[in-house]
Amino acid sequence: MALTHSLACGDGRVPSARAEPLARAVFAALGGIVEIGAVRSTGTWLLPDVSVEAFLETRQGDLRCLVEGVRAVGRVSDEVMTIADELGYFRDHEVHAASLLLWSEGIAGLPDPVERLEEPALVRRMCRIGADLQLTRLLQALVTAALAAGTEPGEGAAGMAEILRLACGLV
């Protein structure tokens, strides 16, 4: 316990220099979750049909709760929270097959020719694999952020469970 408390400032927040990489890990996993959820929500598995904006539009309440949960569990400052906006995952953008390949860590394999990466069957497989991997990455990043912030175990576990519940709803 002494190690985790030594990382936090007197007010319980993690110093920005230490908090930024922790927040980036959380928001990267959430970025993958958002992109995968947007693809899955089309029902077609065709990347030209994907609209991150339309996907997030009806999920603003859940997204707000999720981000506030991250803030609480990791005791993240307003300054560090701006990273979420800077990364751009929570606003409209194009989703590429290469991103899905990244989120799924290439487990589905790289087709020959590479243009087949956008085929619906492979997109679907990358989304299924990527959803599991990014939810796992999110949990790992949340645990690390909570430990660094010295968040109490009961508070952190309850917060993480709620964040994961909301994230599962996105994918």
Side-chain angles (χ1 to χ4, degrees):
M1 192 63 121
L3 173 63
T4 60
H5 283 292
S6 68
L7 295 175
C9 299
D11 61 2
R13 287 182 295 118
V14 178
S16 291
R18 173 84 171 116
E20 285 185 25
L22 299 173
R24 286 185 186 282
V26 169
F27 292 127
L30 285 173
I33 288 166
V34 165
E35 288 191 353
I36 291 165
V39 172
R40 291 181 72 165
S41 72
T42 67
T44 66
W45 306 103
L46 297 171
L47 296 181
D49 293 349
V50 176
S51 170
V52 173
E53 181 177 45
F55 174 73
L56 291 175
E57 189 174 288
T58 60
R59 294 164 176 85
Q60 286 301 309
D62 285 345
L63 188 60
R64 193 171 17 266
C65 289
L66 197 148
V67 170
E68 284 307 312
V70 168
R71 178 191 300 272
V73 166
R75 296 189 176 146
V76 182
S77 69
D78 290 342
E79 174 189 357
V80 174
M81 288 300 289
T82 63
I83 291 170
D85 291 330
E86 291 170 8
L87 291 173
Y89 293 124
F90 305 131
R91 63 177 173 263
D92 198 29
H93 63 278
E94 204 171 321
V95 177
H96 300 278
S99 294
L100 298 176
L101 183 65
L102 173 72
W103 302 131
S104 65
E105 296 183 6
I107 291 173
L110 193 60
D112 186 28
V114 75
E115 290 77 24
R116 290 188 44 230
L117 199 58
E118 292 191 18
E119 289 180 356
L122 190 50
V123 167
R124 180 177 180 268
R125 181 157 164 70
M126 288 188 294
C127 285
R128 292 180 75 177
I129 293 167
D132 289 340
L133 288 172
Q134 295 314 306
L135 287 167
T136 302
R137 299 286 179 264
L138 176 60
L139 178 58
Q140 179 181 8
L142 289 168
V143 168
T144 302
L147 287 172
T151 304
E152 292 298 319
E155 176 190 357
M160 285 181 239
E162 180 62 12
I163 292 166
L164 285 176
R165 184 189 69 74
L166 292 165
C168 285
L170 293 177
V171 294

